Structure formats: structure tokens, C-alpha cells
Amino acid sequence: MNKSLYLVGLNHTTAGVEVRETFGLADCLPGRIIESESGAQSVQGEEQQIIPLGGPIDELAILSTCNRVEIAAVGEQDACRDAVLARWAAARNADVEELKPYVYIHEDLDAVRHLFRVACALDSMVLGEPQILGQLKDAYRMAVKAGTTKVILNRLYHKAFSVAKRVRTETAVGSAAVSISYAAVELAKRIFGEMSKQKAMLIGAGEMAELAAQHLVTSGIKDIYVANRTFERARELAAQFEGQAIPFETLFDRLHEVDIVISSTGSPSAVIRAKDVKAVLKKRRNRPMFFIDIAVPRDIDPDVNTLDSVFLYDIDDLKEVVEENIAQRREEAAKATAIVYDEADAFGQWLKSLELQPTIVELLERNQGIAHKELAKTEKRLAQILGRDVAPEMHEALEILVDSVVKKVLHEPIIFLKRRSAEEESARRYIDTTRRMFNLDDEDIPDDAHADRRRKDIRDDVDARENDLGATSNNGA
């Protein structure tokens, strides 16, 4: 009855990169406390740091990326939250007070909403980015493998994945390009449509080129050439994508072979000029070429854009695309947020019914137990009267009878509880009252329990009557 769901974490909005590095848990796994015969406690795994399950924590899962560290946990109210913070800090050899200033804590329905938002990339630095969902799935797989998830976290994560899928299907929050490299490839797709038959060349082999290569491969491009002043780096990048490295000085000898050119060198002056491209177009028989210049200073002379069959975009053109797409994603994010809240509310109802269900089961079992004890006493008396034991058929019929009576007597109270469990805030109060009425938690209640409350009630009743009498007397005067 006092279990809660917590999400304890920090992210790029609450902690700088140094703090995220200090408290990152990428090398940590959730684990179980193992107790030996001697009573000594240890945790699973020896080769990696472990955030242990046990004590006030019933369930646990850890997500750690470059932009966020979050621990989802189920356990004893308050104590679970404090234990998560303490074990997190201990795993990084830090004091919990050093960690607290950067941490947010969500409980129950707020925790559900937050996790759904993370799964849908509504809480990401780049709104709608797709990587976080895969990272969340990896975190869940690790927790399942470690055996640290049970009913609530299992259902929570599966629901988060389905909510993310629904958001991707019903909104366009992840469809518009919001990185320069991605936008460049998206522009190429608009011009060429089907990309599998196109060839691309990357000029430069830095991070931007690597990202562009990833997006090109994802879009279906199979032939990628990499030209870089440091040939070894060109070869490394080409190898990542099964491409071909070419010496920088032979760039123009091979340029006519490609349809898409993405340039991102650190050159202080233009690498490609109009006169160079004229000769290339002649070799291509004027088949269209798409140049994307994401370098600053620019690698491709703007005059290239004056040539027929050439499409040239620089980083400012792409920024406009990115900003338009970010604005579009924000509009879509409002629709996605509405879906998240609907789904979180539905999950909250399930959590409430989960609390109610054990109470209903215990209520039925407790009363059936009493009925069966009374039946056994009655059968003993019947045996004395009849001079023989009750026949098995008779015993079975009587058991069915008493079970049926118990169910019918409890039918209306159970229906009442189910109705109240659907109401905000009142479910736990009614369930608590029911558990106390039937003492389902086997509490040892002294005979004089609540005596003070009864005396106070009596005094209040006497005072109320005296006030009523005084009021009547005054009215009569």
C-alpha cells in the first residue's frame, strides 16, 4: 500500500557536461543483492559497477546517455527515492549532497509522463530525435537481463515503447530534418527521389562528413567516395561505410562519377570553382549534380550555382531548412504531448487497479477462509448427529455453497471499491479503509485503540447538544 514509482535523474537542462560525466552510469548495471549463508551481502557481477536492488527498492532500471542519466525505481515510499540517490552517488564515489542539486525526482503519474516524454524524444536536446528510443530499449534489456524489473517496470517500459510508436505514427514530430548533415541528405532526396542508384562523394573527413555518410547510407546510397587531404583519415572513414578513399589531388578526375557532393573541409579558400565543374559536367553529359557546402569558410565557389544542371546549397540554406523544421516539430510536439498525457492517465488507472486487485483477492480469500473453518465445524457436528462422516459429494456441495455466499455478500463492496478506484485521489483512502475494516494486514489492534478519539467524539457530541439546547433556549427567550 505504500509503494511508489520514482524516476530520479539529471539531464542537459539541469547539469553541465562536467556533472553529466561525473555522475554518468554508462559503465553501471542494475543488480541484485545476494546474501550468502553466513549472512554477508554482495551484488551480482564482479567486472562492472552495480547499482543494487534490494532493501526499499523492489524494481530498478538505469538509462545513461551523453545527455541524461535516469533511474526508474519502484519501492517503499520516500525510502526508495533516498536509497536510489544514495546508491547512485556511492557508485560514483561521491556524496549524495554533491549529486542532489542537479537531480529531478518524479513520482508515480509524473514519473510515467516523464518516461513517456523521454521515449518520444519530447525531452531531448534535439526534439524528436530517434536515438533515445533505442537507448531506452537497451536500458530496459539490461534491466531485464539483470532480473531487476517486475510487473510495474515491465509494463511501464513496454507501454513507453508503444506510446513512442504511436507518436511517430500519428504526428510528424520526428519527420523533419533538424541537423545540418541530415538536412543536407534530405535535400538530396528531394532532388533525386530514389537514392539507391546515386553515387556520393564526401570532401573532408571530419565529424560533419561522418554524420553525412551515416545519413547517406541510411537513405540507400551504396557508393560513397571520400576525398581528404590526409589520405589515411579518408581511408578510415571510407572503411566505416564500405566506401572508397581517393587521393585529394585526384578529386577532379573522379568528380564526374558522382551525383552528390558534400564538402566540409577546413580550407580557408574555395576548393571547387565554376571552371572546374564545367569540365566535370561535360564528362557527365550535363546530368544534374547536387553540391552541398557545409563548410565555413565555404568550400564551393557560389559561381558554381550559375551553371546549368547544378544545384548548390550552402550552410545558410540548410539552416533555414533546419529552423523551419524545428518550428514544425514544435507544432507537432503539442500533439505528441497530448498523446503522452492520455496514455499516462491510462497507465495511472492501471496502477490504481493494481493496488486494488490484491485487496480484492485478499478480501475474498480471508472471508472464504473463515467460511471454510465454520463449514468444518458444522461438518463435525453433522457427523455426530448422523453417526458417520459427511459424504464427499455433500462436502463439495457445501463448499460451493459457502464460497457462493461469500462472493455474493462481497459483490457490492467490491463493486463500490472498483468505482471509487476510478476517482482521483480517493482510491487509496477507500482501499486503506477496507483493509483496516477487515484487518487484511493482520495488525495487532489493542482493545483500547482509538479510545482518545472515542472520548473526543463523545465530548464533541455533548458540546454539540449543549449548543443546540442553548440556541433553542435563546430562540425561545
Side-chain angles (χ1 to χ4, degrees):
M1 296 300 296
N2 58 349
K3 303 289 184 185
S4 284
L5 167 65
Y6 288 100
L7 196 142
V8 183
L10 56 80
N11 64 18
H12 57 279
T13 65
T14 65
V17 65
E18 296 85 2
V19 175
R20 300 202 301 275
E21 287 171 350
T22 301
F23 290 104
L25 296 174
D27 60 336
C28 287
L29 293 172
R32 286 182 173 278
I33 292 179
I34 301 170
E35 193 161 324
S36 67
E37 292 181 359
S38 64
Q41 289 187 336
S42 61
V43 294
Q44 282 181 333
E46 296 178 353
E47 69 284 1
Q48 272 190 291
Q49 180 69 44
I50 301 291
I51 304 288
L53 199 69
I57 307 175
D58 293 338
E59 302 184 50
L60 187 75
I62 301 169
L63 170 70
S64 185
T65 73
C66 58
N67 278 332
R68 69 180 62 245
V69 184
E70 293 186 342
I71 299 175
V74 177
E76 294 175 18
Q77 206 164 36
D78 299 336
C80 174
R81 174 201 61 204
D82 296 341
V84 166
L85 279 170
R87 292 176 193 184
W88 181 0
R92 300 293 74 164
N93 297 316
D95 188 276
V96 72
E97 294 303 320
E98 298 175 56
L99 173 61
K100 275 184 177 177
Y102 307 102
V103 165
Y104 45 79
I105 298 173
H106 299 293
E107 185 175 355
D108 293 337
L109 193 57
D110 286 340
V112 175
R113 286 176 182 148
H114 182 83
L115 188 73
F116 287 2
R117 282 179 54 79
V118 169
C120 298
L122 298 176
D123 199 56
S124 295
M125 181 182 284
V126 178
L127 186 65
E129 53 90 8
Q131 288 81 15
I132 187 63
L133 183 58
Q135 291 164 333
L136 198 63
K137 288 181 176 178
D138 289 341
Y140 175 61
R141 283 192 201 101
M142 282 199 299
V144 170
K145 189 176 179 183
T148 58
T149 61
K150 299 177 186 173
V151 174
I152 294 178
L153 286 192
N154 283 336
R155 188 171 179 113
L156 177 66
Y157 276 87
H158 281 284
K159 193 64 185 173
F161 303 148
S162 72
V163 172
K165 184 178 180 182
R166 185 183 164 196
V167 163
R168 295 272 168 185
T169 303
E170 297 182 20
T171 75
V173 71
S175 63
V178 291
S179 75
I180 294 294
S181 298
Y182 189 31
V185 176
E186 287 296 300
L187 269 176
K189 285 167 69 176
R190 287 184 199 174
I191 291 173
F192 291 105
E194 173 61 44
M195 297 276 279
S196 61
K197 295 180 181 175
Q198 313 304 325
K199 295 181 181 179
M201 179 182 290
L202 301 174
I203 304 175
E207 186 179 354
M208 298 279 271
E210 186 173 347
L211 284 171
Q214 288 174 352
H215 294 307
L216 285 169
V217 170
T218 304
S219 300
I221 292 277
K222 293 174 184 169
D223 297 311
I224 296 179
Y225 302 144
V226 181
N228 192 56
R229 291 187 193 280
T230 305
F231 185 68
E232 186 57 33
R233 173 58 191 148
R235 195 152 53 188
E236 288 174 4
L237 182 58
Q240 286 184 45
F241 303 99
E242 299 181 354
Q244 181 181 345
I246 59 174
F248 194 80
E249 52 274 19
T250 64
L251 168 66
F252 293 107
D253 296 334
R254 307 292 299 273
L255 203 58
H256 68 282
E257 298 177 29
V258 302
D259 310 289
I260 301 164
V261 179
I262 299 179
S263 190
S264 60
T265 76
S267 172
S269 57
V271 175
I272 299 176
R273 300 178 187 279
K275 62 182 176 62
D276 305 317
V277 179
K278 277 183 182 175
V280 171
L281 287 172
K282 192 173 180 181
K283 286 183 181 177
R284 286 176 59 83
R285 297 181 181 177
N286 290 321
R287 282 186 290 122
M289 289 189 76
F290 181 61
F291 289 85
I292 307 169
D293 187 352
I294 53 180
V296 178
R298 287 176 290 182
D299 285 340
I300 303 173
D301 192 321
D303 286 349
V304 169
N305 209 23
T306 62
L307 301 174
D308 290 339
S309 304
V310 168
F311 302 89
L312 170 63
Y313 293 88
D314 63 23
I315 198 164
D316 283 348
D317 297 324
L318 295 175
K319 276 182 180 174
E320 287 179 15
V321 172
V322 168
E323 285 168 6
E324 285 173 12
N325 289 347
I326 287 175
Q328 183 184 336
R329 282 194 177 196
R330 287 193 183 120
E331 289 178 12
E332 293 299 311
K335 299 177 191 171
T337 300
I339 292 173
V340 163
Y341 271 66
D342 283 348
E343 295 282 1
D345 287 346
F347 192 87
Q349 291 298 319
W350 176 78
L351 277 176
K352 287 178 182 176
S353 72
L354 193 67
E355 293 175 348
L356 175 62
Q357 194 61 28
T359 298
I360 292 174
V361 171
E362 286 180 50
L363 195 58
L364 287 166
E365 288 178 347
R366 176 64 58 92
N367 284 276
Q368 284 172 337
I370 293 170
H372 286 194
K373 280 184 182 175
E374 294 303 315
L375 175 60
K377 291 177 186 175
T378 300
E379 286 179 335
K380 279 185 181 177
R381 286 198 294 272
L382 283 173
Q384 289 172 351
I385 293 170
L386 298 172
R388 55 180 170 78
D389 288 338
V390 173
E393 297 83 359
M394 179 67 76
H395 171 75
E396 186 178 346
L398 289 172
E399 270 198 337
I400 292 172
L401 171 67
V402 296
D403 285 345
S404 177
V405 169
V406 167
K407 286 178 181 174
K408 286 186 181 298
V409 168
L410 293 177
H411 176 73
E412 288 300 330
I414 288 172
I415 293 297
F416 173 84
L417 279 175
K418 286 182 175 178
R419 285 199 196 105
R420 297 289 83 77
S421 71
E423 295 175 2
E424 288 288 336
E425 305 299 331
S426 63
R428 289 185 175 177
R429 180 160 54 86
Y430 281 107
I431 292 171
D432 182 53
T433 301
T434 302
R435 298 187 72 86
R436 284 190 288 155
M437 280 174 61
F438 290 90
N439 195 19
L440 296 180
D441 297 309
D442 293 319
E443 292 177 342
D444 187 12
I445 303 169
D447 294 335
D448 60 348
H450 310 308
D452 291 345
R453 193 182 302 169
R454 286 201 297 270
R455 282 194 289 273
K456 182 178 181 303
D457 290 343
I458 292 169
R459 281 200 304 273
D460 290 344
D461 187 49
V462 169
D463 289 342
R465 290 187 182 191
E466 286 176 352
N467 288 337
D468 288 344
L469 286 171
T472 306
S473 174
N474 289 335
N475 289 339

